[in-house]
Amino acid sequence: MPCRLGRQRSLLLATMPLTAQQAKLPAPIPRLPVLGWSTLRGRRRSPMPCLLEHPGVQFTTSGRASILLALEMLDIRAGDRVLVPTYHCPTMVAPVVALGAQPLFYPISASGAPALDWIAAQDLRGVRALLAAHFFGLPQPMQRLRAWCDQHGIALIEDCAHALFGSSEGRPIGSWGDLAIASLTKFLPVPEGGCLTVNGRTLALPRQSAAGAVSQIKAAVDMVQVGTMFRRFRGLNTALGGLFTLLNAPRKTLRRSRQHEAEPASGSDSLEGFSIDMALSHRALTSAATWVAKQSPRERIVEGRRDNFRRLLAAFAEHPHLRPLFRSLPDDCAPYVFPLWVDQPDPGYQALREAGVPLSRWDRPWHDVPSLADDQGLAWSHHVLQLPCHQDLQAEEIAVLVKEISRVYAG
């Protein structure tokens, strides 16, 4: 799902070492991939399918923009209804509302799959599309859902924001939906980016405006700056850090723009931070971000994420007050995050955030999400913490992450 939150993800990375709270950690830990010397190391291709290998893939500025464009391609408009899971980042819902359509929230099972029996029992008049997500990057079964959508004439949008790699029931992730969307920022060290694909339908891909010169330069500089902040350019970190210090005024401007796009504070009732920028959503991805998306070796991404997920799985397997949401890692995926169930997440969650621990949760669902029988969505929103497991985490950073979470929830 296009999140944290469907915007330029570098805003959190770049501000992390600049806050007083972050000083409580030995060193800042990146929540998402960062550019560095290791970015282009390894084999170009991975045996695991990647959505970027789809022959008709079109790059966008974000996963949120990809959902908006997919809905526009399906001619979703005011008065239509779109099925959306109760467990979501608001950036999944915002494009639906921006087009005047109505979200119809459906429950999810303990595995994260759509509760198809519940959906089938509803009044489906006006329902034009269904959004189904591979939460946390772990593949969901799609064959039965695909057949049901065909039977009812409902378009299936496969949300691969968490799942750029992998397979579901023998087919590549992203190949089940009429359309599929993904988010590049969750898997690659880029300041913005998403993608959109079409399967088996005659739908014209959207026309996009060109990115301006300022956006092009900013994207390239931003990637290097974030990598420098997290000390990923060994031998050049000091020199590059000094250069960015000299460029103080542009840096302040960059930080202000990120703060403007930042997620509203936890506990806020406002969803203003999840609005849709129509112009940006219809703009082409910058050349720097596109180049990184095409050239980044994929085997390193897959193996690094799987290794880090397994480390976290082992670290929290026997904790008395929290547990891995899933006890194993499927063979056919590269996870986005490690989902951790915490029995009593508060006030520990906020304490960890203030200490600079790069974890998150979807605790601010769209307003009017109903409480449904046998639904896991609202419970996950409160109890499930999303821990980073990306390929650019170092072993000592994983150790700090585990130590801090274990300390806070020791009692």
Side-chain angles (χ1 to χ4, degrees), residues 253-323:
T253 301
L254 181 63
R255 286 166 54 190
R256 281 198 298 271
S257 69
R258 289 168 177 155
Q259 290 293 346
H260 175 70
E261 294 180 359
E263 174 193 5
S266 180
S268 168
D269 291 330
S270 172
L271 291 170
E272 182 180 354
F274 305 105
S275 60
I276 293 290
D277 184 329
M278 287 292 186
L280 182 62
S281 296
H282 292 84
R283 198 206 75 194
L285 186 60
T286 54
S287 297
T290 301
W291 187 88
V292 171
K294 291 181 176 180
Q295 300 302 323
S296 292
R298 293 169 188 163
E299 187 177 59
R300 171 181 172 269
I301 297 172
V302 172
E303 292 181 352
R305 287 174 175 270
R306 291 184 62 82
D307 287 347
N308 288 335
F309 190 102
R310 285 190 287 256
R311 290 187 180 100
L312 292 169
L313 195 63
F316 294 113
E318 305 299 331
H319 198 286
H321 306 296
L322 44 84
R323 59 176 172 80

Side-chain angles (χ1 to χ4, degrees), residues 21-32:
Q21 291 91 338
Q22 305 303 336
K24 296 179 182 178
L25 288 182
I29 300 173
R31 191 182 62 81
L32 292 165

Side-chain angles (χ1 to χ4, degrees), residues 94-112:
V96 177
V97 175
L99 295 176
Q102 177 187 352
L104 174 59
F105 296 101
Y106 64 80
I108 60 170
S109 69
S111 67

Side-chain angles (χ1 to χ4, degrees), residues 10-87:
S10 58
L11 65 100
L12 290 179
L13 297 176
T15 55
M16 189 174 294
L18 304 176
T19 63
Q21 291 91 338
Q22 305 303 336
K24 296 179 182 178
L25 288 182
I29 300 173
R31 191 182 62 81
L32 292 165
V34 291
L35 190 70
W37 296 133
S38 61
T39 298
L40 297 179
R41 292 177 185 168
R43 295 181 181 178
R44 174 70 179 80
R45 299 180 67 86
S46 168
M48 191 172 293
C50 177
L51 191 61
L52 298 182
E53 296 166 358
H54 192 286
V57 67
Q58 177 157 331
F59 291 109
T60 68
T61 54
S62 68
R64 171 174 15 188
S66 297
I67 291 180
L68 177 72
L69 297 174
L71 293 171
E72 289 181 340
M73 291 168 66
L74 293 170
D75 196 28
I76 302 297
R77 58 183 67 187
D80 292 335
R81 296 199 292 168
V82 177
L83 285 157
V84 181
T86 54
Y87 185 65

Side-chain angles (χ1 to χ4, degrees), residues 210-268:
V214 172
S215 297
Q216 299 281 10
I217 296 170
K218 178 178 175 292
V221 171
D222 202 22
M223 284 187 280
V224 178
Q225 181 179 4
V226 172
T228 301
M229 289 177 174
F230 288 98
R231 314 294 294 174
R232 281 347 193 236
F233 292 103
R234 185 175 181 179
L236 282 181
N237 289 311
T238 301
L240 288 172
L243 175 62
F244 287 120
T245 300
L246 290 174
L247 300 175
N248 188 48
R251 184 181 178 191
K252 285 183 178 179
T253 301
L254 181 63
R255 286 166 54 190
R256 281 198 298 271
S257 69
R258 289 168 177 155
Q259 290 293 346
H260 175 70
E261 294 180 359
E263 174 193 5
S266 180
S268 168

